């Protein structure tokens, strides 16, 4: 287990210890819906207004995405490990003035994942060069390898989150990241 912290918008966010279990290492690919593909393609264009990777500043977030009802997702790292996984870490924050319910759409719509409860299993990363979409990995019981149990966030509350995907090939250094109901962003992979 490792514990990590990062500076975000002048505040230090403490992260949760992350432990991964057995993983089925299958790369999930999809053509995706036309709406998702258009949004991700727009993010890959140089002239896109979608959040861009931020490079060159130590401690700078990779992307800051806005969601609905005051929710914001700050992506702080996207690390490839030698075992062939890509782990995306960050913080989900309620920037609103009132208690916010974390939308059920964030867990995606796969029946097996719906049975596991609230999560960020609806997240995907896209390797534009290979036209491949990768979904959050599942363990041998079908549970997503991502932060689970998210139900509500108080005003100003922030929670550390992670999502684990099959890693794209080593030659891929930037991927599109999408979470339902949030902006789309390009993020740079390290490791």
């Amino acid at each position: 287990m490792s514990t990590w912290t990062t500076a975000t918008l002048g505040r230090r966010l403490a992260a949760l210890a992350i432990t991964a279990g057995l993983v089925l290492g299958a790369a999930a690919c999809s053509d995706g819906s036309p709406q998702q593909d258009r949004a991700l393609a727009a993010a890959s264009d140089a002239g896109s207004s979608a959040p861009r990777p931020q490079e060159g500043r130590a401690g700078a977030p990779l992307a800051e995405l806005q969601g609905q009802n005051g929710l914001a997702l700050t992506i702080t790292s996207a690390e490839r490990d030698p075992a062939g996984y890509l782990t995306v870490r960050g913080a989900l924050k309620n920037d609103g003035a009132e208690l916010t319910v974390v939308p059920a759409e964030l867990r995606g719509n796969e029946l097996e994942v719906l049975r596991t409860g609230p999560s960020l299993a609806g997240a995907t990363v896209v390797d534009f060069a290979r036209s491949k979409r990768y979904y959050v990995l599942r363990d041998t019981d079908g549970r997503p390898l991502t932060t689970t149990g998210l139900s509500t966030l108080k005003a100003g509350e922030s929670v550390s989150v992670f999502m684990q995907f099959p890693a794209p090939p080593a030659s891929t250094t930037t991927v599109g990241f999408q979470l339902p109901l949030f902006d789309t962003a390009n993020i740079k992979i390290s490791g």
Side-chain angles (χ1 to χ4, degrees):
M1 290 195 316
S2 65
T3 304
W4 56 275
T5 58
T6 183
T8 302
L9 301 174
R11 292 183 281 256
R12 295 191 72 84
L13 298 175
L16 300 173
I18 300 173
T19 303
L22 287 173
V23 178
L24 294 175
C29 302
S30 170
D31 293 332
S33 71
Q35 182 180 19
Q36 285 180 335
D37 288 343
R38 280 193 302 276
L40 288 170
S44 69
D45 292 341
S48 175
S49 63
R52 309 299 296 168
Q54 297 181 11
E55 302 176 35
R57 294 185 303 160
L62 298 178
E64 296 174 345
L65 294 78
Q66 296 301 311
Q68 296 180 348
N69 301 325
L71 288 177
L73 176 65
T74 300
I75 298 175
T76 56
S77 69
E79 297 177 358
R80 182 191 328 264
D81 72 26
Y85 306 116
L86 173 65
T87 303
V88 176
R89 292 186 178 108
L92 182 64
K93 183 178 181 186
N94 177 3
D95 282 332
E98 298 179 4
L99 179 79
T100 296
V101 174
V102 177
E105 289 89 347
L106 301 186
R107 66 182 172 187
N109 58 9
E110 294 177 42
L111 293 178
E112 190 167 354
V113 172
L114 292 176
R115 288 189 287 257
T116 64
S119 71
L120 301 178
T124 60
V125 293
V126 175
D127 179 347
F128 294 109
R130 290 166 184 76
S131 299
K132 275 190 150 181
R133 181 183 309 271
Y134 299 91
Y135 291 93
V136 170
L137 289 166
R138 313 292 188 255
D139 68 11
T140 55
D141 293 323
R143 292 183 302 262
L145 296 181
T146 183
T147 303
T148 59
L150 301 170
S151 58
T152 60
L153 291 175
K154 298 174 191 169
E157 183 178 8
S158 179
V159 62
S160 297
V161 296
F162 82 99
M163 294 145 276
Q164 195 166 49
F165 304 90
S171 60
T172 299
T173 58
T174 301
V175 292
F177 175 87
Q178 186 172 37
L179 183 64
L181 306 179
F182 278 78
D183 296 335
T184 299
N186 288 341
I187 57 175
K188 186 165 179 59
I189 299 173
S190 62

